[in-house]
Amino acid sequence: MVNLEKLREDLEKKLTVDKQIHSVVVRADTIDDCLEDAAVQLETSVKRLEYEVEERGSQGFMGLAQKPWVLRIYENPAFVQEKIQKAQAAAAAAKAAEEKKALNKDGVYYVHRFGDRIYLKVLLPVGEGVPVSLGDILSAAKRSDTESLDEDLVKKLCKEGSGEEYVEVGVYAHVPSADAVMAVDVAKDEMSATIEVSAPAMSGSEISADQIRNALRTQGVVAGISEDKITEYIDNPVYNVPFVVAEAIKAVDGADAKMDYKFETDSSKLKLKENQDGQIDFKELNLIQNVIKGQPLAIKMLAERGKGGKTLFGRYLEAKNGKDIDVHYYMGQNVELDGDQRTIKASMDGQVLMVGNKISVEPVYEVPGVNIKTGNITFMGTVIVKGNVEDGYNVKANGNIEVYGTVGNCQLEAEGDIVISQGVMGRDEGVIKTSKSLWARFIQNTTVEAKDYIVVNDNIMNAHVTALKKILLKGKRAVIIGGHLFAQEEISAKNIGNPTGTETILEVGFDPIAKQRLTQLQGEQSELVKQLEDLDLNIQTLENQMETRRSVPKEKQKQLMDFKEQKADIEEKSDAMTTEINQIQEHLRALKVVGRVNASGTVYAGTKIYVRDEKDEVKADCKSVSFYYENGFVRRGKYDPSQVTNDVAAPEGVAV
């Protein structure tokens, strides 16, 4: 299953989406023209570009039948990675500078006169900030009208700070007629209140916090008084302009119910996959969002109740509750509702899609072909390919795989059946595996494994083919040439081998997978035996040293313990292998399958037939013959059509 991750940083997201994923398809008469055009579009130089050919161009003949080149062009991943590193370094440096600036704050002081007293507030510096100056404080506090000042207290506050409190530090000659004058204005809608203050004259008192609170209450304000605003004004008063000191508690409408999707609903945001080196793999387009049965796809977030508010005079402000939604409206095909009646989950494996506003799981994924436009396909259901699977591209499905065209040097893997309407040309590297059966027109130079049947219409050439049940060739040619074929029950064809003597090996009458596993286990156990012999020698050497010497270094003692632990581990592994080897050998001995190779036409000289480990090497051409096991030997008998399997049908609804 292909899972989606959120990008952690905005910068990384921008670089990844805009630079890494971005590619352009360019059409021009030559490759150089394509590259120059792409360099302009991608805002880079030609030397930094790489490309993949979508359509090969041709100059034609004397200007006729000329065909342009079509290239998919993208920036070299190495340059992209360099850009990312530089951008990340710059972002980190900027962030560090911002954090340093936030951590360092200068000290600040406030000197104000309320009533006939002088008050001081000192905030200490933060980090590497500059502390307040005692001289500056004394200069602000000592005026011509100052009568007394506790300088020791001022020095203490300068050093230790006062927090957010104003501390009385002196007395001045107060002249009431010079006091500041304040007016309070409450808005008609009772949503805000402002004060407007005229500046005090010399020896006049400033407006205090208590005066502001009392003035608001006198006007009937009982809610929304902001202590932060009052503190802000007292610290840094402004005169002859309105200043907001109280705001109503606004009503907050409740949020509407909504769906929280657990998959990406915008296909344009699906991102390309990078390999371990940080380079983009353009074959892994991640266009499919696979889900499994029972996987949550979306959760209904409940509507919220609104929160009522209050005007400054305490009148209630009503809020609207959020609107509910019907979760069934969002349910499409192959989804179901969980027991909480809020969670939509998949009722089967497949691809999750948004069809309109509805969530659906599609068990079948259909594409016109598998190539650069689709990338590799991994799907939790059945894959139908209307065209070809091109060289280098892979298909993996939990259901069936149906290919209407041909399959090249690819890897196909299915939990269900595989049906290839044309054939397979694996070029000695292609691999096809199915947990059920395979149908194809022909198989050439490919490794094929099937748990049930392999049914071929035309030919199997130079291929390594394994079926746990039968390999059946049914067409007019029905020929096996070259390669190595395994089947537990039966291999049937018209002709086997060819007149030139191409080595063709057929094996029946045993479980090929069990035999391969047996060979693997026997080889691994042989290696373990060698390791045990070496360990026994080392242990014996160390034990002899301990017997002949009075004292042995701790390192040697530890080494002996390590050797004994390794020996115990290897013996445990070897015992487990012996148990599995015995089980496989018993399974192979108990097989009741006799195994047959049937040829209605000719089996050519050079062909090797194995039935239950007994060999028959064909020295001369033979016709209309069956090979079978009897009394410890491979016997030949006349071909009998009644012993050839004819009842292996393709999956329902698939024409082969």
Side-chain angles (χ1 to χ4, degrees):
M1 186 180 75
V2 178
N3 298 316
L4 293 170
E5 299 178 355
K6 292 184 180 179
L7 295 172
R8 296 182 178 178
E9 300 289 342
D10 289 341
L11 178 60
E12 182 181 348
K13 179 179 179 181
K14 183 176 186 304
L15 285 169
T16 302
V17 175
D18 294 346
K19 297 296 182 183
Q20 287 190 330
I21 296 182
H22 188 51
S23 62
V24 294
V25 177
V26 180
R27 181 189 298 268
D29 293 336
T30 66
I31 292 178
D32 289 341
D33 289 344
C34 289
L35 290 171
E36 290 178 3
D37 188 352
V40 175
Q41 295 187 50
L42 296 175
E43 299 180 354
T44 187
S45 60
V46 172
K47 67 180 181 180
R48 296 190 174 191
L49 296 178
E50 293 186 358
Y51 64 88
E52 296 180 16
V53 178
E54 291 200 347
E55 295 181 17
R56 299 185 64 85
S58 173
Q59 293 183 350
F61 179 72
M62 298 184 66
L64 299 175
Q66 186 175 2
K67 183 179 179 182
W69 288 82
V70 180
L71 306 181
R72 179 175 292 276
I73 303 176
Y74 49 91
E75 200 168 7
N76 186 303
F79 290 107
V80 173
Q81 194 66 23
E82 183 181 347
K83 283 184 180 180
I84 290 175
Q85 292 172 352
K86 289 182 178 179
Q88 288 177 340
K95 184 177 180 181
E98 193 67 28
E99 289 177 349
K100 183 177 180 181
K101 182 179 179 182
L103 291 174
N104 299 325
K105 186 182 294 184
D106 292 344
V108 63
Y109 71 91
Y110 304 98
V111 176
H112 292 294
R113 291 163 175 80
F114 306 128
D116 59 359
R117 308 290 171 160
I118 303 172
Y119 291 86
L120 172 64
K121 181 165 85 170
V122 178
L123 301 179
L124 296 176
V126 177
E128 299 177 2
V130 179
V132 296
S133 167
L134 176 60
D136 291 343
I137 296 176
L138 293 175
S139 177
K142 289 182 178 180
R143 293 194 323 198
S144 58
D145 57 357
T146 300
E147 295 181 343
S148 63
L149 185 67
D150 189 344
E151 295 191 18
D152 291 338
L153 180 56
V154 172
K155 290 178 182 178
K156 181 181 179 182
L157 295 174
C158 182
K159 182 179 180 180
E160 300 177 1
S162 67
E164 292 295 333
E165 300 296 325
Y166 277 91
V167 178
E168 181 184 334
V169 294
V171 179
Y172 75 102
H174 178 215
V175 179
S177 61
D179 289 350
V181 177
M182 174 178 61
V184 176
D185 181 33
V186 179
K188 291 181 179 180
D189 59 3
E190 304 176 16
M191 298 301 289
S192 66
T194 60
I195 59 171
E196 187 170 341
V197 181
S198 61
M202 184 57 134
S203 301
S205 172
E206 299 174 77
I207 298 298
S208 68
D210 286 339
Q211 286 178 295
I212 296 175
R213 296 188 193 99
N214 292 333
L216 290 171
R217 292 192 182 98
T218 300
Q219 293 292 328
V221 176
V222 295
I225 298 175
S226 172
E227 292 296 330
D228 289 339
K229 288 288 186 181
I230 292 174
T231 299
E232 179 186 344
Y233 182 84
I234 297 303
D235 288 344
N236 298 288
V238 291
Y239 298 113
N240 301 317
V241 293
F243 187 89
V244 176
V245 290
E247 291 182 296
I249 302 171
K250 295 182 179 179
V252 178
D253 292 340
D256 293 342
K258 64 179 182 180
M259 298 303 297
D260 178 19
Y261 296 98
K262 301 303 179 182
F263 62 97
E264 182 54 69
T265 59
D266 185 353
S267 59
S268 66
K269 293 182 179 179
L270 297 176
K271 64 176 184 177
L272 296 179
K273 185 177 181 181
E274 296 178 358
N275 60 25
Q276 294 179 347
D277 298 327
Q279 296 184 344
I280 300 170
D281 186 352
F282 278 89
K283 292 180 181 178
E284 296 291 346
L285 299 182
N286 290 331
L287 300 178
I288 302 172
Q289 296 187 78
N290 286 297
V291 296
I292 61 175
K293 182 178 179 180
Q295 180 176 335
L297 305 178
I299 299 175
K300 173 185 171 182
M301 307 304 291
L302 299 177
E304 297 178 355
R305 294 185 61 83
K307 295 181 180 179
K310 280 185 179 182
T311 70
L312 296 181
F313 293 164
R315 294 189 179 90
Y316 180 73
L317 296 174
E318 188 174 356
K320 295 179 181 178
N321 293 328
K323 296 179 181 178
D324 195 13
I325 56 174
D326 183 359
V327 70
H328 295 88
Y329 173 75
Y330 297 88
M331 296 177 63
Q333 296 181 344
N334 304 318
V335 297
E336 59 188 6
L337 204 57
D338 200 4
D340 62 4
Q341 300 299 304
R342 293 172 51 201
T343 303
I344 298 175
K345 61 182 184 180
S347 60
M348 61 166 39
D349 297 347
Q351 176 190 18
V352 60
L353 298 169
M354 284 293 292
V355 182
N357 291 322
K358 297 184 182 296
I359 304 168
S360 294
V361 174
E362 178 57 61
V364 177
Y365 182 64
E366 187 173 304
V367 290
V370 180
N371 46 44
I372 191 173
K373 294 181 179 179
T374 63
N376 296 334
I377 292 176
T378 300
F379 185 60
M380 301 291 287
T382 291
V383 176
I384 298 177
V385 182
K386 294 289 190 178
N388 302 328
V389 182
E390 297 185 5
D391 289 346
Y393 291 92
N394 307 324
V395 180
K396 184 175 181 180
N398 276 30
N400 298 339
I401 296 176
E402 300 175 24
V403 181
Y404 291 6
T406 60
V407 174
N409 175 11
C410 309
Q411 291 188 12
L412 269 60
E413 187 173 348
E415 294 294 326
D417 296 309
I418 297 179
V419 179
I420 303 169
S421 297
Q422 296 302 314
V424 186
M425 295 178 288
R427 295 178 174 81
D428 296 324
E429 295 181 359
V431 177
I432 298 177
K433 295 182 179 181
T434 170
S435 297
K436 292 188 177 180
S437 299
L438 166 73
W439 285 262
R441 181 178 175 185
F442 61 84
I443 299 173
Q444 297 178 5
N445 305 91
T446 306
T447 298
V448 179
E449 295 180 11
K451 293 291 180 66
D452 291 339
Y453 301 94
I454 294 176
V455 182
V456 177
N457 187 58
D458 198 343
N459 63 74
I460 297 177
M461 297 179 63
N462 301 316
H464 192 285
V465 180
T466 301
L468 286 190
K469 291 186 178 178
K470 302 178 182 183
I471 299 174
L472 307 171
L473 283 83
K474 294 292 188 179
K476 293 182 179 180
R477 292 184 59 190
V479 61
I480 300 171
I481 301 175
H484 199 158
L485 279 65
F486 298 81
Q488 187 167 301
E489 300 177 15
E490 173 189 344
I491 299 177
S492 294
K494 181 177 181 181
N495 299 322
I496 301 173
N498 66 356
T500 62
T502 301
E503 184 179 57
T504 305
I505 303 173
L506 280 64
E507 299 189 45
V508 294
F510 64 93
D511 184 337
I513 294 179
K515 186 176 181 181
Q516 291 169 8
R517 176 61 177 165
L518 178 62
T519 303
Q520 177 189 352
L521 287 170
Q522 290 172 334
E524 292 177 357
Q525 193 174 54
S526 178
E527 289 296 322
L528 291 180
V529 170
K530 293 179 182 178
Q531 294 179 32
L532 279 174
E533 291 174 353
D534 293 339
L535 284 170
D536 283 335
L537 181 60
N538 291 332
I539 291 171
Q540 184 178 359
T541 301
L542 288 172
E543 287 179 340
N544 290 338
Q545 290 178 3
M546 290 182 177
E547 290 178 1
T548 57
R549 298 180 184 178
R550 291 184 177 180
S551 63
V552 178
K554 291 183 178 180
E555 291 78 6
K556 293 288 186 181
Q557 296 177 15
K558 185 178 184 304
Q559 193 174 29
L560 178 60
M561 291 177 62
D562 291 342
F563 283 152
K564 288 183 176 180
E565 288 178 1
Q566 291 177 31
K567 180 181 177 180
D569 290 341
I570 292 176
E571 287 177 339
E572 185 179 350
K573 290 180 182 177
S574 181
D575 290 344
M577 286 183 178
T578 299
T579 301
E580 188 176 355
I581 287 171
N582 292 336
Q583 290 173 346
I584 293 174
Q585 289 175 334
E586 181 65 27
H587 165 68
L588 293 175
R589 285 193 296 268
L591 280 176
K592 296 181 180 179
V593 178
V594 174
R596 297 184 72 89
V597 175
N598 302 308
S600 61
T602 302
V603 179
Y604 291 95
T607 300
K608 298 175 183 177
I609 307 291
Y610 291 83
V611 184
R612 299 187 69 179
D613 288 330
E614 297 300 324
K615 175 182 175 183
D616 184 353
E617 185 169 357
V618 179
K619 302 294 185 180
D621 296 354
C622 53
K623 296 180 179 295
S624 189
V625 62
S626 289
F627 298 81
Y628 58 92
Y629 181 87
E630 185 178 80
N631 298 326
F633 295 95
V634 178
R635 304 292 188 184
R636 300 184 187 181
K638 185 170 179 59
Y639 173 79
D640 183 354
S642 66
Q643 294 182 327
V644 177
T645 303
N646 291 300
D647 58 353
V648 180
E652 185 177 352
V654 178
V656 181

